[in-house]
Amino acid sequence: QVQLVESGGGLVQAGGSLRLSCAASGLTFSRYGMGWFRQAPGKEREFVATISWSAGATYYAGSVKGRFTISRDNAENMVYLQMNSLKPEDTAVYYCAAGPLPYRSGWSSRNSFDYWGQGTQVTVSS
């Protein structure tokens, strides 16, 4: 049974930082690209960042590029999202996702990801 468990969310002031973690189990980690998505109230779930197995390739949404960094530890089956210079518009539930490589629908499509975590809330106050 595949499980993705996020942690590290919380309340932070604008300009602050948070580091999200995602622990993966029940899957052959080397066969999966990993991604982060987010969903704000009343909005659709949107792509944030993704990383290949080797971590040689990363891809970011334009709204977070230069502020967020995705990384992975393949020995520990972990994925991270370092979020710096946070803005109130970054407030959302953040979801970890796993998709078999190569991605079937591209790097930023939800359709490329088969497994999802339950999400962790990130709230940025102004």
Side-chain angles (χ1 to χ4, degrees), residues 13-123:
Q13 288 189 334
S17 298
L18 281 175
R19 188 194 194 206
L20 304 184
S21 299
C22 172
S25 61
L27 75 170
T28 305
F29 201 59
S30 62
R31 295 181 182 176
Y32 286 83
M34 301 299 295
W36 288 95
F37 288 74
R38 66 186 181 186
Q39 188 167 17
K43 295 188 177 181
E44 290 192 357
R45 192 171 299 188
E46 66 173 5
F47 167 76
V48 175
T50 187
I51 188 167
S52 64
W53 148 249
S54 65
T58 56
Y59 183 61
Y60 297 90
S63 59
V64 308
K65 194 171 185 180
R67 300 188 297 123
F68 291 10
T69 302
I70 188 171
S71 61
R72 64 190 292 167
D73 182 339
N74 292 326
E76 299 293 332
N77 285 13
M78 295 290 295
V79 183
Y80 305 98
L81 186 68
Q82 177 67 44
M83 305 186 295
N84 299 329
S85 302
L86 282 161
K87 305 175 181 180
E89 51 264 43
D90 294 318
T91 295
V93 177
Y94 283 71
Y95 297 90
C96 176
L101 294 170
Y103 289 142
R104 69 174 71 92
S105 300
W107 286 79
S108 62
S109 172
R110 286 178 293 177
N111 292 333
S112 292
F113 296 87
D114 290 344
Y115 302 105
W116 297 82
Q118 292 301 305
T120 185
Q121 176 70 47
V122 171
T123 302

